[in-house]
Amino acid sequence: MTPLTLTADPTAKTRRTAWVPTLVLLLGALYCLIPIAWVVIAATKDRSELFSTFTFAPGSGFLQNLSDLTAYRDGIFWRWMANSAFYAGLGALLSAAVSAAGGYALGRYSFRGREAVFKMILAGVLVPSIVLAVPQYLLLSKLGMADSYWSMLLPSILSPYGVYLVRIYAAASVPAELMEAARMDGASEWRIFSRIAVPMMMPGLITVFLFQFVGIWNNFLLPFVMLADDEKFPITLGLYTLLAQGASQPALYTLVITGCLLAILPLIGLFLVIQRFWSLDLLSGSVKA
Amino acid sequence: MTSAPLKGAGLTEVAPLADGTGTAQSVRPSRPRRRGRSAPYWFLVPTLTLFAAFTVVPIGYAIWLSLHKVQVKGIGLGKGARQQVWNGLGNYTDVLKDSEFGHSVLRAFGYGLIVIPTMLGLALLFALMLDTPKARSAPFARLMIFLPYAVPGIIAALMWGFLYLPDVSPFYYLLDKFGLPQPDLFDGGNLYLSFANIAVWGGTGFNMIVIYTALRAIPPDIYEAARIDGATDLKIALRIKIPIVMPSLVLTFFFSVIATLQVFTEPMALKPLTNGLPSSWSPLMAIYDKAFLQSDIYGASATAVVLALATFVLSFTLLRISDRYTREDRA
């Protein structure tokens, strides 16, 4: 804004590349890409090529691996993928809805017990997952709900972090004056929430959805504890059991590798599409508070 | 907004409010207020119901279980032969005497000592490099370094597991070419490095974004002022940027400690690839082992409660320390 910013740093005008930072960043990117590049290439190798050819030399068996994987136990792999999409999609949607209502209440109303409720929910983040998972399993099995879709879905809905994020987002983005004006016009509290607050909080809710989608898709402990029937497995647990069998049947290794590639593609795709929605300010808001 | 005093009980006509907003509905101007008063509680119903059902009740049940044990009566057949009886703190004294669990906690600490400094150090380094105005390809690198966050931990462990296998690994190929010794990455001490590498790979990007976001929030005028005073980029990083992002570093440290205590996925995933891994390698594995493989849910619950208490104590201590630290920093 001031002329000072233009003239203070003469080196800023000459667009020299800072080589050290660039090199460090590229090395970091390389480190992060190696396993992904490896899995892309390894998925193209057939069984004999996997252990005999150079690691980063592409093979000739990708289509064969794909059809082997699809044929394996009548396509159970795709069933696992569909299960993961179901658990993560519906779970994250419900999670965003619950976080929206809860976070909005905590961020936009002052009422008795607000801080106590908020602190209690946040303390939920600290509880080790297995402390919850074991008694959750025992309680759900008493209700006859262990090893069901419910046992995966219900425990993943509440996201303390989501409530926290929406609280901050609601306080920052839904003006109290607007709520007051809507009240004057006779709008009910529910209508104010659903018609005014939810659209204004949408970027925050998308972030909660995304975090929770990734969280549920990547979860391993919960299905590992809850599920026994492999028709209900998500992809993480499915691939794990496949690898565990692979220890005695190395032929399954190519299936595991191809499966890994297919399992990370949707998430990487989701990332590339949604990253433009990812507001960095939102994350910083959560960090500064 | 002061409400007009209501005079008389059976009033039929009320004077309009002084500010001219008075209508038939503003007979009781406080009505929307009062109606709104219960609204936050309604909005919290789903959150609190789920919190009660899937956090409070399970914790309560775990504590209840941890104080009981099963007693077998008679010859142990038929209904009522196995009874839950009060065991007081018996399970807890067992936990504290359990050397398996003690070892798993020590392993988690050793693992954390490698993972946390490496991961946060790299995250800070990358965040600072991203924040350098003249760095090329920063958006590309930012996306690539963040990408592992999208990869499920179990799949990350599987991919690295294959990269650790001498027959498949490109690293062994290179070591072989140069005639260097080939370490066994699935062996005792090296296991720590193998697991740590997977955690660093998966977690650096997320922490980098958190720190980078905090860096972006610093007003650029500060740097201009420092440059006029003759500060180099390195000095600006050390004296200005790092102190300012300290709260973010504390936060990421805090979450990393909690994650370390809960390490489960990586060692579980690599277990099928190696013979040398005990089934109680990490504290969570020890609890899982006890609950589901030894069917001792009472002992497992007590162990889980101990782990939760340790997490709480550690968390509050860390928060206390960081609070004092950041406050001094601001002063």
Side-chain angles (χ1 to χ4, degrees):
Chain A
M1 301 301 142
T2 55
L4 188 68
T5 37
L6 289 174
T7 53
D9 184 6
T11 53
K13 278 183 194 165
T14 57
R15 301 295 298 170
R16 273 184 310 153
T17 302
W19 286 110
V20 173
T22 309
L23 194 70
V24 169
L25 286 173
L26 287 178
L27 280 176
L30 182 72
Y31 167 60
C32 289
L33 268 176
I34 282 178
I36 295 175
W38 176 81
V39 82
V40 170
I41 291 165
T44 67
K45 298 185 181 197
D46 66 27
R47 279 169 211 166
S48 56
E49 288 167 336
L50 182 62
F51 292 103
S52 60
T53 58
F54 173 65
T55 323
F56 282 109
S60 57
F62 181 65
L63 292 176
Q64 185 58 42
N65 289 340
L66 208 57
S67 72
D68 283 354
L69 186 63
T70 303
Y72 178 74
R73 294 206 28 225
D74 295 328
I76 196 161
F77 173 82
W78 296 107
R79 172 106 199 186
W80 294 334
M81 290 284 272
N83 287 341
S84 272
F86 172 73
Y87 296 136
L90 188 58
L93 205 62
L94 292 171
S95 191
V98 168
S99 301
Y104 171 72
L106 292 167
R108 286 284 39 160
Y109 291 90
S110 50
F111 55 92
R112 192 181 297 184
R114 178 172 81 160
E115 288 313 305
V117 167
F118 183 59
K119 282 189 181 136
M120 190 176 71
I121 291 171
L122 266 197
V125 178
L126 296 180
V127 184
S129 43
I130 199 142
V131 177
L132 296 176
V134 172
Q136 274 172 359
Y137 168 77
L138 296 170
L139 289 167
L140 283 171
S141 56
K142 282 196 172 163
L143 296 170
M145 280 160 71
D147 194 24
S148 71
Y149 285 103
W150 293 112
S151 67
M152 262 301 285
L153 208 49
L154 290 177
S156 350
I157 296 175
L158 182 67
S159 155
Y161 188 61
V163 174
Y164 172 71
L165 217 60
V166 174
R167 176 194 156 126
I168 288 161
Y169 206 78
S173 69
V174 185
E177 296 80 13
L178 201 63
M179 292 168 65
E180 205 53 52
R183 270 187 202 120
M184 289 293 184
D185 292 342
S188 68
E189 298 297 319
W190 168 253
R191 206 177 153 81
I192 295 173
F193 168 68
S194 59
R195 294 295 166 83
I196 297 174
V198 166
M200 297 186 100
M201 299 189 299
M202 208 33 105
L205 298 183
I206 290 174
T207 308
V208 172
F209 176 86
L210 188 71
F211 268 121
Q212 205 55 7
F213 189 94
V214 174
I216 300 173
W217 185 286
N218 292 358
N219 199 343
F220 175 71
L221 181 71
L222 187 69
F224 194 62
V225 168
M226 289 289 175
L227 302 177
D229 171 15
D230 63 6
E231 291 277 315
K232 300 188 188 89
F233 280 5
I235 190 68
T236 46
L237 189 53
L239 285 173
Y240 173 74
T241 53
L242 209 54
L243 182 77
Q245 288 170 34
S248 52
Q249 277 175 277
L252 290 176
Y253 279 159
T254 52
L255 295 192
V256 174
I257 291 166
T258 312
C260 281
L261 173 65
L262 294 175
I264 59 178
L265 283 182
L267 279 192
I268 290 178
L270 192 75
F271 251 63
L272 295 178
V273 173
I274 294 195
Q275 52 142 341
R276 55 196 71 224
F277 287 100
W278 267 61
S279 130
L280 282 173
D281 296 331
L282 182 66
L283 263 176
S284 76
S286 71
V287 170
K288 276 186 291 186
Chain B
M1 286 233 302
T2 51
S3 56
L6 299 173
K7 284 173 189 165
L11 67 166
T12 48
E13 198 73 43
V14 173
L17 293 174
D19 59 0
T21 56
T23 63
Q25 276 175 333
S26 62
V27 171
R28 282 174 291 160
S30 62
R31 192 174 147 240
R33 278 283 158 105
R34 194 169 296 155
R35 192 184 54 194
R37 215 169 280 167
S38 70
Y41 298 106
W42 284 109
F43 287 129
L44 277 169
V45 164
T47 302
L48 291 179
T49 311
L50 287 165
F51 187 74
F54 292 99
T55 306
V56 177
V57 172
I59 290 176
Y61 189 50
I63 293 172
W64 188 86
L65 282 173
S66 72
L67 298 170
H68 288 75
K69 66 174 176 184
V70 147
Q71 202 167 56
V72 181
K73 284 187 176 168
I75 53 169
L77 291 171
K79 213 172 187 284
R82 290 165 58 87
Q83 263 189 330
Q84 270 178 356
V85 294
W86 178 256
N87 191 25
L89 295 176
N91 291 330
Y92 287 96
T93 50
D94 287 348
V95 172
L96 297 179
K97 276 187 275 179
D98 182 3
S99 65
E100 286 260 331
F101 182 67
H103 284 137
S104 73
V105 172
L106 285 180
R107 285 189 206 107
F109 269 105
Y111 163 86
L113 278 179
I114 307 171
V115 172
I116 298 176
T118 315
M119 180 171 71
L120 297 186
L122 281 177
L124 178 65
L125 176 71
F126 290 142
L128 287 172
M129 298 293 114
L130 282 178
D131 200 46
T132 311
K134 281 162 282 176
R136 287 242 181 112
S137 61
F140 166 78
R142 190 178 71 197
L143 191 63
M144 289 306 121
I145 297 172
F146 190 48
L147 206 56
Y149 176 70
V151 177
I154 195 95
I155 290 179
L158 293 181
M159 295 194 308
W160 279 107
F162 279 107
L163 288 172
Y164 297 156
L165 282 177
D167 287 344
V168 194
S169 175
F171 309 120
Y172 283 93
Y173 180 85
L174 288 177
L175 289 176
D176 191 40
K177 279 273 166 189
F178 292 103
L180 293 166
Q182 306 180 335
D184 181 359
L185 291 171
F186 291 111
D187 182 52
N190 286 339
L191 267 177
Y192 288 87
L193 293 177
S194 304
F195 294 152
N197 174 53
I198 300 169
V200 168
W201 183 80
T204 299
F206 182 81
N207 292 305
M208 171 192 80
I209 292 286
V210 172
I211 298 167
Y212 176 64
T213 313
L215 278 175
R216 302 296 294 172
I218 303 175
D221 322 12
I222 295 180
Y223 307 142
E224 300 297 345
R227 282 210 186 87
I228 291 170
D229 290 346
T232 59
D233 278 349
L234 185 67
K235 261 193 181 152
I236 290 176
L238 293 178
R239 301 272 174 82
I240 302 176
K241 292 184 176 180
I242 293 180
I244 287 184
V245 298
M246 202 40 100
S248 306
L249 273 175
V250 168
L251 188 90
T252 51
F253 178 75
F254 180 70
F255 281 119
S256 308
V257 170
I258 295 174
T260 297
L261 278 174
Q262 301 198 31
V263 58
F264 181 78
T265 308
E266 291 89 359
M268 274 318 269
L270 291 190
K271 225 167 96 62
L273 293 174
T274 165
N275 299 319
L277 195 66
S279 55
S280 58
W281 192 84
S282 80
L284 249 61
M285 287 168 78
I287 295 170
Y288 178 85
D289 189 66
K290 216 171 214 167
F292 295 104
L293 303 178
Q294 302 172 31
S295 300
D296 177 13
I297 53 170
Y298 306 95
S301 296
T303 317
V305 171
V306 168
L307 184 66
L309 283 177
T311 310
F312 275 109
V313 170
L314 199 62
S315 304
F316 286 118
T317 315
L318 283 177
L319 286 182
R320 196 40 75 85
I321 294 170
S322 75
D323 216 32
R324 191 179 304 158
Y325 186 78
T326 44
R327 218 165 269 163
E328 271 171 13
D329 202 53
R330 267 179 220 138

